[in-house]
């Protein structure tokens, strides 16, 4: 967390946008493999368990990919840097270095890279926390 004397770095991506990605990433992460692809029951009969299973054409994944791909380069760079900060690849003093590394490694596969990261939502939330930010207000307004 910032020391209180030095203001946290400003982000190119809005906190609410990161929080939206966190919520969607959590929805994506809780999915399990499809257990009964030919089920004749409906969601009400099986306790709606099928909504937690991964299906082809998953709208949660598609929405998350589209959202990340619609971000501009600076927003994508900060998103990757936040992931790295949150997973402990550096601390607040390393923020500009993390940003530089993210910019240098940037390509057209940012969404695939992010969705392939275990604990994406947790790491992004931890990255925000390290900057003194949180999704508390976003959660109140959107959940």
């Amino acid at each position: 967390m910032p020391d209180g004397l030095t203001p946290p770095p400003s982000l190119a991506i809005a906190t609410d946008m990161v929080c939206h990605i966190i919520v969607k990433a959590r929805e994506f992460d809780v999915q399990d493999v499809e257990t009964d692809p030919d089920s004749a029951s409906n969601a009400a009969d099986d306790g709606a368990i099928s909504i937690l299973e991964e299906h082809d054409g998953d709208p949660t994944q598609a929405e998350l990919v589209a959202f990340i791909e619609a971000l501009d380069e600076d927003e994508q760079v900060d998103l990757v840097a936040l992931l790295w900060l949150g997973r402990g690849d550096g601390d607040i003093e390393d923020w500009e270095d993390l940003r530089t590394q993210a910019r240098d490694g940037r390509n057209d596969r940012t969404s695939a890279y992010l969705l392939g990261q275990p604990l994406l939502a947790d790491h992004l939330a931890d990255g925000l926390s390290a900057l003194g930010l949180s999704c508390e207000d976003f959660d109140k307004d959107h959940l």
Side-chain angles (χ1 to χ4, degrees), residues 33-114:
V33 295
E34 189 172 14
T35 55
D36 189 8
D38 297 321
S39 175
S41 69
N42 64 36
D45 291 340
D46 66 11
I49 196 71
S50 64
I51 63 172
L52 294 177
E53 294 178 347
E54 184 177 338
H55 299 277
D56 288 337
D58 175 31
T60 303
Q61 180 179 3
E63 181 181 351
L64 196 48
V65 167
F67 190 86
I68 292 168
E69 289 179 355
L71 298 174
D72 68 31
E73 181 177 328
D74 291 333
E75 291 169 328
Q76 289 183 8
V77 164
D78 277 6
L79 194 59
V80 171
L82 273 173
L83 165 74
W84 292 345
L85 179 65
R87 99 179 159 194
D89 293 353
D91 53 34
I92 190 70
E93 290 79 26
D94 302 315
W95 177 250
E96 288 306 320
D97 290 336
L98 292 171
R99 251 185 183 163
T100 299
Q101 291 172 25
R103 184 169 307 285
D104 291 347
R106 189 183 173 287
N107 56 43
D108 293 333
R109 298 182 308 274
T110 302
S111 61
Y113 171 74
L114 290 170

